[in-house]
Amino acid sequence: MQHKTVAFSKESSNLFFHILTQCNLSCSHCYINPEQHGKRRLPFDTIKDWLGLFAPKAPETNLVLLGGEPTLHPDLSLVVKEARRLGFRSITIDTNGYLFHDILDKITPDDLDFLSFSLDGATPDTNDKIRGKGSYDAVLSGIHSARSKGFSCSMIYTVSDKNIHELARMPDLTKDLGINRFFIQVIGMRGESSKFSTALQVSKEIWLGTIPKVAEKVADQGIVVTYPKVFLSHGEPFQCAGNVSDNYFVFPNGRVYQCPICEDFPLHSHEIINNRLMPMPPINETDLFKLIIPEGCVMNKMIQPGNLSYDAEGRPCHRIACCLLKQELTP
Ligand code: SF4
Ligand code: SF4
């Protein structure tokens, strides 16, 4: 099994394109913030134009189509085919499993690299408390339908103190379901999560004591696993992805962020105006990327400092990695 930290690079880029913000679910930790991200569903012609803005780097760019729930968009199949025509390196649809508008009948496995299903518990009880009644069954049934038609499926499990107790059951479940890739995410304090009065993130000890072990067990089943590093070990270098790699998070109101944990604020570095990608004036997220602090990630310290601790001299006990820094296990 190969363990590696996925280094940031300007050679490859990731484009997370929210083509709408509407969703049929109302997950308790939903990252969508309508005040900041709007309530638009982009028409197909606009999506086509905006994809074209990123097309010059398409062969190096992994495209993720998301929402809201992207399958609620009646033209999602046309979007996927247009992205394929433009030559994006990989195309993924992130879904909550409901697969609206018969999407699986309108595209083929050749059009799409991954269908990525969000599941936040190994049982209906835990998952549905977070994501809504019936959502567990929808994901399992969606995966069965997708696999029977030959699509590659991945799964995203967003870890919080509400579901970490069931993570150890995921190696068996992901194997039974025939998942090809498994992504563990850490819950971010944005959107609905930021409204909780208690921290949802698990402690450093619980995170480090649980995540790497489960990741290995999932990888033992022949599944590629990715999880965020979160806590840097002593001597590990800190880098802010905003300075050293190209990641774009595009929202239907035209805002383009480079850092997902800035999304609750009007700190976007670019905006699409009249189909042109325009840089925003200071102060925006790029001004924060330049700040060097002993705690590592500046945005983490500003909006989710609960994961920091300090020694008697006031020095941070550990640094927080960029939220985009991932550890990958390849069987
Ligand atoms: S499925 Fe995604 S977009 Fe929909 S409510 Fe849940 S987190 Fe939000
Ligand atoms: S999470 Fe922190 S380190 Fe990563 S891009 Fe955002 S500000 Fe930079």
Side-chain angles (χ1 to χ4, degrees), residues 3-6 225-229 325-329:
H3 288 246
K4 73 168 181 193
T5 301
V6 184
V225 185
T226 306
Y227 64 91
K229 285 202 77 124
L325 187 69
K326 310 286 181 191
Q327 191 72 14
E328 188 176 276
L329 274 60

Side-chain angles (χ1 to χ4, degrees), residues 25-297:
L25 296 182
S26 26
C27 302
S28 58
H29 59 37
C30 180
Y31 53 87
I32 290 293
N33 176 335
E35 276 173 33
Q36 299 296 327
H37 307 148
K39 294 183 178 170
R40 272 185 91 191
R41 182 176 87 196
L42 288 174
F44 172 61
D45 283 346
T46 305
I47 298 173
K48 200 170 153 186
D49 288 341
W50 291 12
L51 281 175
L53 297 173
F54 298 90
K57 280 192 76 181
E60 297 93 55
T61 301
N62 300 302
L63 171 66
V64 181
L65 297 165
L66 67 174
E69 170 53 33
T71 68
L72 280 172
H73 198 301
D75 295 328
L76 179 61
S77 60
L78 301 180
V79 175
V80 169
K81 287 173 200 284
E82 173 65 4
R84 195 48 111 204
R85 189 187 71 77
L86 290 170
F88 280 91
R89 180 180 173 188
S90 70
I91 306 168
T92 299
I93 296 173
D94 277 4
T95 179
N96 59 26
Y98 284 81
L99 303 176
F100 292 102
H101 293 297
D102 300 323
I103 183 67
L104 298 183
D105 297 331
K106 296 180 184 163
I107 54 173
T108 71
D110 286 341
D111 297 325
L112 190 73
D113 294 275
F114 287 104
L115 259 175
S116 198
F117 292 83
S118 297
L119 192 75
D120 292 336
T123 62
D125 188 41
T126 296
N127 178 78
D128 290 6
K129 272 189 191 129
I130 298 169
R131 304 187 63 82
K133 194 165 165 40
S135 57
Y136 182 93
D137 290 344
V139 165
L140 266 56
S141 138
I143 292 171
H144 288 308
S145 305
R147 289 207 62 234
S148 69
K149 289 175 187 282
F151 289 91
S152 293
C153 296
S154 51
M155 181 176 282
I156 307 171
Y157 193 107
T158 301
V159 168
S160 70
D161 68 345
K162 308 276 182 257
N163 65 5
I164 192 161
H165 61 287
E166 287 192 356
L167 193 65
R169 293 166 71 169
M170 292 310 289
D172 289 342
L173 185 58
T174 47
K175 186 178 180 211
D176 292 348
L177 290 171
I179 294 297
N180 300 92
R181 294 192 64 132
F182 186 57
F183 295 89
I184 299 172
Q185 276 294 8
V186 62
I187 195 155
M189 294 296 104
R190 58 197 165 108
E192 291 301 312
S193 311
S194 64
K195 298 177 187 164
F196 277 72
S197 53
T198 53
L200 296 171
Q201 291 178 336
V202 301
S203 69
K204 180 186 175 205
E205 289 66 34
I206 294 177
W207 178 270
L208 294 179
T210 310
I211 306 299
K213 277 190 219 146
V214 174
E216 285 218 4
K217 284 192 182 149
V218 177
D220 278 342
Q221 315 289 342
I223 298 167
V224 178
V225 185
T226 306
Y227 64 91
K229 285 202 77 124
V230 187
F231 302 97
L232 289 173
S233 334
H234 282 297
E236 269 189 293
F238 169 80
Q239 281 187 312
C240 168
N243 293 324
V244 292
S245 65
D246 285 336
N247 297 288
Y248 299 102
F249 300 82
V250 176
F251 285 90
N253 57 1
R255 286 190 187 180
V256 180
Y257 290 84
Q258 288 173 266
C259 167
I261 58 177
C262 289
E263 288 170 6
D264 257 6
F265 308 93
L267 284 169
H268 47 297
S269 54
H270 293 80
E271 194 161 317
I272 302 175
I273 302 170
N274 296 326
N275 291 334
R276 293 176 62 202
L277 187 61
M278 307 297 288
M280 296 302 287
I283 293 171
N284 66 56
E285 58 188 342
T286 56
D287 300 294
L288 302 174
F289 300 158
K290 295 173 198 147
L291 301 176
I292 297 168
I293 59 168
E295 292 90 342
C297 170

